[in-house]
Amino acid sequence: MSTYTRFLSLVLASTIMLFTGTSAEACTRAVYHGPEGRVLTGRSMDWKLDWNGNMWILPRGVERNGLAGPRSVNWTSKYGSVVVTGYEIATSDGLNEAGLMVNALWMTRSVYPEDDGRTPRLSLSIWPQYFLDNFATVAEAVEHLRANPIHVATGEVPDQPGRMATTHLSLSDASGDSAILEWIDGELRIHHGRQYQVMTNEPIFEDQLAITQYWSRVDGLTFLPGTSRAEDRFARASFLINAVDKFDDARLAAAAVFSVIRNVSAPYGVSIDNQPNLSTTRWRVVADHKDLLYYFESVVSPNVFWVDLKNVDFSPEAGVRKLDLGPRQQNLFSGDVSDSFVVTEPFPFMPAE
């Protein structure tokens, strides 16, 4: 199938979704390749319901279990990380002290493998944390995953009976390398390479690449698709992340990435009758892999704040610490909040069903 034919089929599928109201929860992720090794990753978290989650410091040296039955993977965290939770039962985003970032985004097409009775297993809730705990680079993570297959098992979304969680992951590191991990029809597909800068929810990543190739023929300064659909967000982010100025200055680089992620965000409280699942942006994060800065912005707060991972004690003795973001992530913080975390009992990852 040609790129143009594939693109037309995607347009048709998107049109059907538009009028049948089956669009999915929405997020966008983009990697910025700046000068002098300045690499940043930004993402939006778009979700229809109020988001229950906080920011946590998770130390190295913690023993974990994959929470997916008797053949669950076991490991001890090698790296400490700063993460944002989903419903206080899962890691939805995070940056570790080695500069590896993991982003979990919703993808309706995700289908996880049936238990084959042999392969080690891992709950979807702790899948992102597995990478943050164990790897410093994308290449290291991908090599390990290819040599040591692990099956992921999902569970029900809290407060949404009967709805199973379906996500895919993006990984990025201080070198600018990226990987996209998707479970399609029970098989893990890995797209690994520096060129994979952008990811949205739908469609599958192979089809997202076809969209990029099509829109690369259009002058993005003259016209870009403007809706909140995943396909249009993917096209805008793909153009803008490379069109913005490239800075080695940490503050200016973060501003550039935030401007791109805001451009592909959905207005707060947006509601359209024939798109019941159109999701408002709840929060945004930007990670500076070079300086190990993890920025957070809630859409209902006037301030951007950040954690400087170089100022964080990730030793086992320092314990697990929490920054309470409050309802709708509306508690007010500003500047470096590295010293504002409070020692707290760890949140429980959700076991797979």
Side-chain angles (χ1 to χ4, degrees):
M1 181 184 294
S2 69
T3 298
Y4 185 72
T5 303
R6 180 182 289 274
F7 177 79
L8 289 180
S9 68
L10 294 173
V11 170
L12 177 60
S14 299
T15 303
I16 293 172
M17 289 177 67
L18 178 66
F19 288 102
T20 59
T22 57
S23 57
E25 309 293 356
C27 306
T28 307
R29 168 267 201 186
V31 180
Y32 173 95
H33 294 151
E36 305 300 323
R38 180 70 63 184
V39 176
L40 294 89
T41 301
R43 68 85 53 86
S44 63
M45 172 55 75
D46 301 353
W47 197 251
K48 187 173 180 64
L49 304 175
D50 284 341
W51 185 267
N52 177 23
N54 294 291
M55 189 175 289
W56 294 74
I57 292 173
L58 304 180
R60 64 183 87 95
V62 176
E63 295 183 0
R64 299 201 201 280
N65 176 271
L67 301 172
R71 290 191 324 285
S72 295
V73 182
N74 294 290
W75 70 94
T76 301
S77 59
K78 182 178 179 181
Y79 301 101
S81 57
V82 177
V83 306
V84 180
T85 59
Y87 291 95
E88 296 289 72
I89 58 166
T91 294
S92 61
D93 197 274
L95 177 70
N96 75 13
E97 59 182 317
L100 179 74
M101 188 180 198
V102 180
N103 322 102
L105 280 69
W106 192 266
M107 190 177 78
T108 305
R109 284 282 306 275
S110 299
V111 177
Y112 304 103
E114 297 290 335
D115 187 356
D116 63 6
R118 303 183 308 275
T119 307
R121 288 161 57 82
L122 188 67
S123 172
L124 184 67
S125 69
I126 203 170
W127 190 32
Q129 195 62 46
Y130 178 79
F131 295 101
L132 293 171
D133 283 351
N134 289 299
F135 307 107
T137 68
V138 173
E140 180 186 2
V142 170
E143 181 180 0
H144 175 86
L145 201 56
R146 293 190 192 279
N148 302 274
I150 297 173
H151 283 176
V152 169
T154 187
E156 195 172 80
V157 179
D159 303 323
Q160 299 186 53
R163 188 184 191 190
M164 304 303 287
T166 52
T167 64
H168 54 169
L169 296 187
S170 60
L171 282 65
S172 51
D173 65 24
S175 73
D177 196 10
S178 284
I180 310 300
L181 310 180
E182 296 182 337
W183 287 98
I184 308 298
D185 297 327
E187 298 291 332
L188 180 63
R189 297 185 185 180
I190 302 175
H191 300 267
H192 177 207
R194 183 182 174 89
Q195 70 273 28
Y196 300 130
Q197 292 173 259
V198 176
M199 183 175 85
T200 55
N201 310 87
E202 312 289 345
I204 63 175
F205 194 68
E206 180 182 356
D207 289 342
Q208 292 184 24
L209 297 178
I211 294 169
T212 304
Q213 186 173 351
Y214 176 88
W215 282 107
S216 68
R217 304 171 184 173
V218 179
D219 180 3
L221 295 176
T222 303
F223 177 78
L224 283 172
T227 78
S228 292
R229 292 182 304 148
E231 297 86 350
D232 289 358
R233 287 184 283 109
F234 190 91
R236 290 205 305 283
S238 296
F239 172 77
L240 292 171
I241 199 64
N242 292 306
V244 293
D245 287 339
K246 299 300 188 292
F247 304 99
D248 182 35
D249 180 276
R251 185 169 178 175
L252 295 178
V257 178
F258 266 117
S259 70
V260 173
I261 297 302
R262 290 171 184 141
N263 184 277
V264 294
S265 295
Y268 185 73
V270 65
S271 177
I272 300 175
D273 288 343
N274 63 5
Q275 294 188 64
N277 293 323
L278 178 64
S279 301
T280 185
T281 296
R282 298 289 169 179
W283 47 262
R284 292 174 279 259
V285 297
V286 170
D288 185 325
H289 299 266
K290 182 177 182 179
D291 282 353
L292 293 179
L293 300 171
Y294 189 65
Y295 299 91
F296 186 93
E297 178 186 54
S298 169
V299 298
V300 295
S301 171
N303 297 327
V304 172
F305 61 90
W306 60 89
V307 179
D308 186 340
L309 274 69
K310 300 185 299 298
N311 293 335
V312 174
D313 182 359
F314 287 109
S315 68
E317 295 75 20
V320 173
R321 283 149 287 169
K322 171 184 173 181
L323 185 69
D324 186 353
L325 301 180
R328 300 184 179 87
Q329 294 73 52
Q330 65 187 17
N331 287 352
L332 296 182
F333 302 96
S334 63
D336 184 358
V337 298
S338 305
D339 294 331
S340 300
F341 287 73
V342 176
V343 175
T344 309
E345 285 295 312
F347 65 90
F349 288 96
M350 184 181 72
E353 294 184 4

